[in-house]
Amino acid sequence: MVSAVVNQGGGHASALRSSLKNIAQFVIVLLTTLLGLAAVTFFIGRVVPIDPVIAIVGDRAPAQVYERVRQELGLDLPLAQQFWIYLKKAVTGDFGNSVLTTNPVLTDIANAFPATLELATLGTLIGVIIGIPLGILAAVKRGSFIDQFVRVLGLAGYSIPIFWLGLMGLLVFYAKLGWVAGPGRIDVTYSYLYTPVTNIVLLDTAMQGQWDAFWDAVSHIILPACLLGYFSLAYISRMTRSFMLNELAQEYVIAARVKGLSEMRVIWRHALRNAAVPLVTVIALSYANLLEGSVLTETIFAWPGLGQYITNSLQNADMNAVLGGTLVIGTAFVLLNLVSDLLYRLLDPRTR
Amino acid sequence: MTGAPLPLASEPSGMRAWLLSPEPHSRWQARLGRFYLGWRAFSRNPLAVVGLGIVLLLILVAIFADVIAPYSPITGGDLRTERLLPPSETYWLGTDDQARDIFSRIVHGSRVTLFIVVLVALIATPIGLLVGTVSGYLGGWVDTVLMRITDIFLAFPRLILALAFVAALGPGIENAIIAIAITSWPPYARIARAETLMIRNSDFIAAVKLQGASTPRIILGHVVPLCLSSLIVRVTLDMAGIILTAAGLGFLGLGAQPPMPEWGAMVATGRNYLIDQWWVAAMPGIAIFVVSLGFNLLGDGLRDVLDPKAAK
């Protein structure tokens, strides 16, 4: 009796220890990856053919001025020390000032990020709401019309250039049919009707009861969100199909059918529940991919998000902004991947 | 009375018999036989054959661009009368803002696309192969270090890392190719490593080791060839992604520079005339779509033949 209790206690302690070890492992992986990201952006910043000193003092400055600015920027220090300073600054969120906007890069990024988040979230929602049922249908009715349809949808999603599809969407639904509003987040007429709090226009306008402004924002976001949603849906439906096919071939499905459960119950309660675990990973990955897809989408739809910020800065050789933005997107990408990994471990008891 | 047994309908004869012979007389015959079997499996998939057709067409168009294109891709016609003309019998796909024939530009653009794809594959595949096989075969701290580096490169979204590299190196097609290659090799390294881990402990590797082969010899002569087939599949499947990334860079003005007829940059030009002269943006986009689709279909088909484990 006593020994059993002790054993149980020991079991708990070892479980705790192993989960602590897991967490430690995660933290180490996260830290080395972030360090690597910083190293890559630092390296990219060094190979730029633009001399940052000349960019500040001009090419006719006397030698001592040049030298002083060089020292102020820390460019005379050894590379390792420069990297250390860069790291210390990056950790505190100091990426320097943007040449283009003259604001600190972090402020710019904080202003732009909600717009990207809004778009990517809506896109993922569309992908999940349409993609998962489509994938299930394709798996259940294998070889049918809907299965072929999902296949074609997926193939096209992997082959269509997103910027081209966005332009064609604008041409058809905005210019020709007039169903949606054009580029931008909201019409100027409505933009003074609400005060930006979260910088997520749909939330701000809805919370402040400005429904006209809300619907205008909806008509602006719907096309880019559907565009991102399509790519997300192409990926999610294809993966759902393959996970469901995998589950439907398992013995427990046969057992459930033998028991006389209805087909609906077998599919939705039993098979989907097991397919849902890897699906969570897929959804997180697709969300991360949309962050990337948003670069081109935002350029087309004049969407004032992170993607547009990076491309604008690129065209003006504003390296602080480019590298800061790259680092932030890279970090978001790494975190999302990590979250999907953690969720997978949490949801699937077999990985424990 | 019974006479000679009738030959079975399925029994191969002539050329096929030679190809399918269970006892090939030379290595060459055996290889051709394997190739023939692969082709038979491949050609049973009509979509894969369509993909192969598209890719072959791309290559042919690129080779004979000068013969196929009716007009110059660089110098346009009369700017007063031939600018932004809709598709017609003289200009099949219309003309752009500099009175250049869009069809001719798309035809010549196939060279740019092929150039990018081939160079990226030639740069990224050996890097991935080397990193993956060395990492998998040696194991230990070499493996840890190499895989951590691979993970870091995998952690960046591809287009964004390529953007940052091009920003640093300066816009241009060569830099775009380098940037895409730098972002392409990590998945190849992962695949090569996974394959190497399976090969590493096989008996034949032990036998080669006992014969006294050096580590580089084992890796290059015995491990690398066995990793190739799954890597070829992955690279082919990746080509569509490479084309899309290159087109995206071109669209942002960071890839091929004007007047080079790069499809992504052509779409970007068309953006300014989208509403009234839609064909300027639409036509090059269709070309990108068709070619990426071709590589995707071909890759799917190759995967089914060369790597049946991965096919679902």
Side-chain angles (χ1 to χ4, degrees):
Chain A
M1 190 61 200
V2 173
S3 74
V5 171
V6 169
N7 265 348
Q8 254 183 9
H12 271 296
S14 80
L16 190 71
R17 216 175 304 133
S18 85
S19 70
L20 271 181
K21 202 177 150 198
N22 268 337
I23 291 169
Q25 221 166 15
F26 266 127
V27 171
I28 290 172
V29 168
L30 179 68
L31 284 182
T32 46
T33 311
L34 291 181
L35 193 72
L37 289 182
V40 171
T41 49
F42 174 78
F43 170 74
I44 293 174
R46 291 308 111 163
V47 294
V48 182
I50 309 162
D51 185 342
V53 182
I54 287 184
I56 291 172
V57 301
D59 53 358
R60 274 188 277 172
Q64 65 260 42
V65 175
Y66 180 90
E67 201 47 45
R68 210 187 64 220
V69 174
R70 203 169 108 91
Q71 281 172 12
E72 274 171 16
L73 290 175
L75 291 173
D76 55 333
L77 302 170
L79 262 186
Q81 204 175 342
Q82 285 190 37
F83 181 55
W84 177 241
I85 294 170
Y86 176 81
L87 265 187
K88 275 202 291 197
K89 283 189 169 176
V91 167
T92 56
D94 178 8
F95 301 118
N97 279 9
S98 155
V99 179
L100 196 63
T101 61
T102 70
N103 298 328
V105 169
L106 192 69
T107 317
D108 281 348
I109 289 176
N111 284 335
F113 199 65
T116 302
L117 199 68
E118 186 179 18
L119 198 56
T121 308
L122 212 58
T124 309
L125 272 180
I126 293 173
V128 169
I129 291 171
I130 303 176
I132 291 183
L134 261 184
I136 294 174
L137 266 177
V140 172
K141 299 189 191 267
R142 196 176 180 185
S144 68
F145 169 74
I146 192 113
D147 191 17
Q148 296 297 332
F149 179 70
V150 166
R151 193 181 151 83
V152 170
L153 216 61
L155 264 174
Y158 285 118
S159 312
I160 295 183
I162 188 168
F163 55 91
W164 180 76
L165 196 62
L167 286 179
M168 293 303 118
L170 269 180
L171 173 67
V172 173
F173 296 108
Y174 165 62
K176 300 287 177 207
L177 298 174
W179 288 358
V180 298
R185 273 180 107 182
I186 194 163
D187 259 8
V188 193
T189 10
Y190 295 107
S191 61
Y192 299 103
L193 287 177
Y194 73 98
T195 33
V197 182
T198 57
N199 254 329
I200 295 174
V201 174
L202 290 183
L203 271 185
D204 283 345
T205 49
M207 282 192 312
Q208 290 163 31
Q210 295 290 348
W211 294 106
D212 286 348
F214 176 79
W215 288 114
D216 185 65
V218 168
S219 83
H220 274 93
I221 202 174
I222 194 76
L223 192 56
C226 283
L227 181 69
L228 286 180
Y230 168 63
F231 286 90
S232 165
L233 136 92
Y235 178 54
I236 291 178
S237 62
R238 212 173 159 163
M239 296 315 274
T240 309
R241 175 183 178 274
S242 99
F243 293 149
M244 281 300 280
L245 279 179
N246 214 356
E247 293 303 328
L248 287 175
Q250 303 285 328
E251 280 177 2
Y252 73 84
V253 170
I254 301 172
R257 282 192 182 134
V258 168
K259 241 165 62 177
L261 292 185
S262 73
E263 196 59 22
M264 287 300 269
R265 208 174 158 81
V266 170
I267 293 164
W268 291 92
R269 276 296 291 276
H270 293 264
L272 182 62
R273 213 158 161 176
N274 283 297
V277 176
L279 258 185
V280 169
T281 320
V282 164
I283 292 168
L285 280 182
S286 121
Y287 197 66
N289 281 334
L290 289 195
L291 283 181
E292 182 181 21
S294 66
V295 171
L296 290 164
T297 314
E298 285 174 8
T299 329
I300 291 161
F301 290 93
W303 196 261
L306 207 49
Q308 206 196 21
Y309 180 65
I310 293 181
T311 42
N312 266 348
S313 314
L314 258 177
Q315 262 135 20
N316 294 287
D318 189 351
M319 279 317 278
N320 280 345
V322 173
L323 295 182
T326 309
L327 202 54
V328 167
I329 290 198
T331 310
F333 204 75
V334 171
L335 289 179
L336 274 172
N337 273 313
L338 211 65
V339 165
S340 77
D341 212 25
L342 280 174
L343 277 177
Y344 189 87
R345 279 164 192 253
L346 275 178
L347 291 176
D348 192 343
R350 278 167 300 187
T351 58
R352 267 177 223 148
Chain B
M1 199 53 204
T2 43
L6 284 169
L8 288 168
S10 65
E11 197 169 296
S13 58
M15 187 70 177
R16 276 183 63 207
W18 182 78
L19 282 169
L20 295 178
S21 157
E23 293 145 9
H25 296 292
S26 65
R27 239 175 216 215
W28 189 66
Q29 185 186 354
R31 276 195 192 141
L32 272 181
R34 294 285 316 153
F35 182 78
Y36 174 70
L37 279 177
W39 167 251
R40 262 206 338 198
F42 181 83
S43 59
R44 243 177 263 137
N45 179 351
L47 282 178
V49 176
V50 170
L52 181 68
I54 293 175
V55 173
L56 286 180
L57 190 70
L58 173 78
I59 297 171
L60 283 179
V61 167
I63 295 174
F64 297 109
D66 293 322
V67 186
I68 298 169
Y71 302 93
S72 157
I74 308 290
T75 45
D78 193 339
L79 279 177
R80 283 165 303 179
T81 54
E82 291 172 320
R83 235 178 126 247
L84 298 169
L85 292 179
S88 64
E89 264 174 46
T90 14
Y91 301 109
W92 291 351
L93 303 181
T95 59
D96 67 3
D97 58 321
Q98 301 192 35
R100 295 174 297 202
D101 177 38
I102 293 176
F103 175 70
S104 304
R105 277 176 73 71
I106 289 180
V107 166
H108 277 272
S110 63
R111 286 186 174 172
V112 182
T113 303
L114 208 59
F115 179 67
I116 294 173
V117 167
V118 169
L119 270 186
V120 169
L122 282 182
I123 299 171
T125 318
I127 300 178
L129 200 56
L130 204 67
V131 170
T133 47
V134 167
S135 167
Y137 185 75
L138 294 181
W141 66 269
V142 177
D143 184 31
T144 314
V145 170
L146 285 179
M147 280 301 113
R148 289 310 308 149
I149 295 176
T150 310
D151 284 348
I152 288 163
F153 276 89
L154 269 179
F156 273 111
R158 187 169 179 176
L159 182 67
I160 293 185
L161 185 60
L163 274 182
F165 267 110
V166 174
L169 299 168
I173 188 164
E174 295 88 358
N175 292 342
I177 289 170
I178 294 173
I180 298 173
I182 289 174
T183 55
S184 299
W185 65 269
Y188 308 159
R190 279 279 186 85
I191 289 171
R193 178 176 175 268
E195 293 276 316
T196 309
L197 286 179
M198 283 194 287
I199 300 164
R200 184 169 73 169
N201 297 324
S202 347
D203 291 342
F204 78 92
I205 293 287
V208 180
K209 234 190 254 176
L210 282 177
Q211 282 179 338
S214 65
T215 305
R217 194 190 165 91
I218 295 175
I219 291 179
L220 291 177
H222 298 275
V223 178
V224 164
L226 286 173
C227 297
L228 269 181
S229 73
S230 48
L231 213 58
I232 288 174
V233 172
R234 177 64 209 230
V235 172
T236 317
L237 273 172
D238 234 23
M239 294 232 169
I242 294 170
I243 291 172
L244 291 180
T245 313
L249 287 177
F251 179 76
L252 293 172
L254 297 167
Q257 297 298 302
M260 197 183 264
E262 200 271 324
W263 294 341
M266 287 168 71
V267 176
T269 321
R271 205 179 150 185
N272 304 328
Y273 313 97
L274 182 66
I275 292 174
D276 294 314
Q277 288 93 18
W278 53 269
W279 55 89
V280 184
M283 300 305 182
I286 294 173
I288 303 172
F289 171 49
V290 170
V291 170
S292 337
L293 189 69
F295 275 111
N296 271 331
L297 292 174
L298 176 65
D300 274 348
L302 279 182
R303 182 181 55 197
D304 295 346
V305 174
L306 292 177
D307 195 7
K309 284 167 290 173
K312 279 220 176 119

